[in-house]
Amino acid sequence: MKLFTNYIPTSPSMTFDEWMVKTFQIRSDIQINLDPVEQNIVNFVKAVCNQTGSTVRIAGGWVRDRLLGVHSKDIDLTIDNMSGIKFGEMCEKVAASNTEWSKNIGEANRNVKDDPRIQALGTTYIQMYGILVDLVNLRKEDYTEKHQEGKGRAPVISFGNPKDDAERRDLTINSIFYNINTGQVEDFTGRGLSDLGFNEHGQKVGGITLRTPLDPKTTFLDDAVRVLRVLRFYSRYQGSVLAPEILAAFQDPQVVDSLMRDYKNLKMTNKSVTNEMLGIEMMKIMNGMQPEKAVKVMYETGLLHQLAALGQELQPFNMPQRNPHHELDLISHTMRVLQHTNEFALKYKMDGETRSCMNMAALWHDIGKLDPRSHVVKPTGQYGYHGNPNFGKGEQYAPGVTRGVPHEDASAEAFENFARLMKLPNNITSKVSALVKIHMVPHSHMKVKDVNEKLYGFLDKMPKLWQAAYILSMADSMSKKEDIEKSRQDSELGRYEQNINTMNELSQKPLPVLLTGEDYIRLFPEIDPKTGFIEGLKKMVRDWQYKQPVLTKEEAIKRLNGSRPHILQKFPPKHIS
């Protein structure tokens, strides 16, 4: 079935296929070499097509990645003449006719049929040779419905042709198809292959240009999440370029309004262009190869200011730090820290989620310096950011706030508000907040001669994130001067790396727990456990272990008994009647 409704041949003798090749880029000179699993999937799908008369194409990310020489398991199939659900049922029937296929082809997922929204899309998925494959018909999306507060804009979805399906996608590089029936690469936007860096001879000769298939303003108004999705790919691909029209659209008031309209409304329904989707895209931006460049674009276009949702009383991002340790304004320092954090996270082979959290912490680690509560003005006119003890006396910052706050705590507070708006998962929020709060501590280790005591304590405090926290601090220390090389030389980089190596060794031989709660009660029966003395004594013994890692249980008991007068003074005995 040919679903093209705009087929207008340029001559009476031109066939449909000739028109396709002439009008669009249907390329036989660009080959995708399939691996054995992919070839098995293609062979099976061809067999199904023989029964259904379908033309099936692999769409989007898999095609992009394979053209870039990267293996991918993100296989989405588009079908031209039936729904994905119907094609999935045909897959089951064909698989049942062959012993090998019956072993390697699963059942199409039935649960999606219970969801009317998924049913309307005609989407399902099925296991093929160990890969979860999505099935969906070619689609056309029409965003004619006006935006409703709390509901976003839902497209009217109908059957489409390959050109419709390509043009509904976020970027031209994600709009390329691999036609399973013909083995050809198809570029229905006419720009996807060139934007991916291929020339007219099918050779990969250039870098990646990020461009929307249609007018970017229209694309972003249709789905505002695409703004961050574009930046995610900009962060992902080193050396990639944003098309000028995209940068212009980022700053368009209507686009910004569309993105922000519901962003600060925490009562949004699940049917909206959700904050959760924005949060997912933000974390993916942080997981790219050049997240600092994406943040730079966000800052220069005003998106960062909008999304950060900072209070009006805070200073602007480009605030001079007015501090002898910092030559850079705050946003320049932040982007430098983000760059170095990402580089070190890759060097130390941190896992993807941890690297994303580290980079998010780098973005937020000093935002609290914009908060007047953190400002301490010295007699020289220079600033410190460890919390103004006089803040709130005679002036009111916010209801109930009458105290200064160290900048790392103010930064964590601002991030946690951002995380709520973005609906980031609790485990992500807690990781990033912990890294932000503790990022100053490793700096103090540089001034200690016998540092192992401090490192043991740091390992105890951050058992799972100590390396991430130390890398963040290391990146912070080498991002303070205009001259990048001088900043690196002055940062005591070698000392930070030495401490990381030491903590790696220490973490292999963790300090034992010498005494249980029952031990402490037996040693001090006269103290009521409700006083919290057990935790206090645990910390006391732990501090002794930091200084003397080989401390034994017997030695700890002896020292506790020797400290009895001090302990009883701090935790008075129970009153005996």
Side-chain angles (χ1 to χ4, degrees), residues 22-188:
K22 184 176 179 64
T23 309
F24 306 104
Q25 295 191 42
I26 310 301
R27 303 293 290 267
S28 299
D29 56 338
I30 298 177
Q31 298 295 318
I32 293 179
N33 296 317
L34 304 176
D35 67 27
V37 171
E38 292 166 342
Q39 188 64 63
N40 285 333
I41 292 173
V42 165
N43 291 342
F44 172 72
V45 172
K46 281 183 177 180
V48 179
C49 289
N50 288 337
Q51 299 293 318
T52 63
S54 306
T55 297
V56 175
R57 297 168 171 87
I58 305 180
W62 180 90
V63 185
R64 176 200 67 232
D65 289 346
R66 297 299 274 113
L67 288 171
L68 292 173
V70 178
H71 277 275
S72 173
K73 292 186 177 181
D74 181 22
I75 298 180
D76 297 336
L77 300 185
T78 62
I79 302 100
D80 72 335
N81 63 349
M82 64 179 64
S83 72
I85 292 173
K86 184 67 176 176
F87 193 81
E89 292 171 350
M90 290 302 299
C91 286
E92 293 175 347
K93 291 180 181 179
V94 173
S97 68
N98 179 287
T99 303
E100 181 196 343
W101 288 340
S102 63
K103 291 179 180 178
N104 291 287
I105 306 299
E107 294 184 354
N109 183 268
R110 293 291 190 266
N111 294 331
V112 296
K113 294 185 179 181
D114 298 330
D115 188 330
R117 294 171 300 173
I118 302 299
Q119 201 169 40
L121 296 176
T123 301
T124 190
Y125 57 85
I126 187 171
Q127 283 276 354
M128 294 185 181
Y129 289 89
I131 294 178
L132 198 63
V133 177
D134 285 337
L135 308 175
V136 65
N137 59 273
L138 290 169
R139 284 161 35 195
K140 181 177 183 179
E141 294 179 353
D142 183 9
Y143 286 82
T144 55
E145 180 184 326
K146 291 185 178 181
H147 184 285
Q148 297 179 39
E149 195 71 25
K151 293 187 177 180
R153 290 178 50 168
V156 176
I157 298 172
S158 59
F159 264 86
N161 59 49
K163 185 170 183 290
D164 294 328
D165 201 90
E167 289 180 345
R168 74 176 178 82
R169 296 176 184 269
D170 50 8
L171 291 165
T172 57
I173 65 169
N174 296 332
S175 302
I176 308 169
F177 294 114
Y178 175 76
N179 188 315
I180 283 181
N181 299 62
T182 66
Q184 292 177 319
V185 172
E186 300 174 339
D187 178 10
F188 290 95

Side-chain angles (χ1 to χ4, degrees), residues 41 49 55 63 106 130 182 189 218 222 260 383 399 482 514 524:
I41 292 173
C49 289
T55 297
V63 185
T182 66
T189 69
T218 301
D222 285 348
M260 299 305 300
Y383 273 48
E482 289 278 2
L514 298 180
F524 296 91

Side-chain angles (χ1 to χ4, degrees), residues 559-575:
R559 293 182 69 169
L560 284 169
N561 283 326
S563 303
R564 181 173 290 273
H566 167 72
I567 293 170
L568 293 178
Q569 184 178 10
K570 187 172 183 180
F571 301 102
K574 291 182 280 188
H575 177 70

Side-chain angles (χ1 to χ4, degrees), residues 511-526:
L511 296 173
V513 176
L514 298 180
L515 297 166
T516 67
E518 292 180 354
D519 289 329
Y520 291 112
I521 291 173
R522 279 196 297 269
L523 285 168
F524 296 91
E526 66 269 43

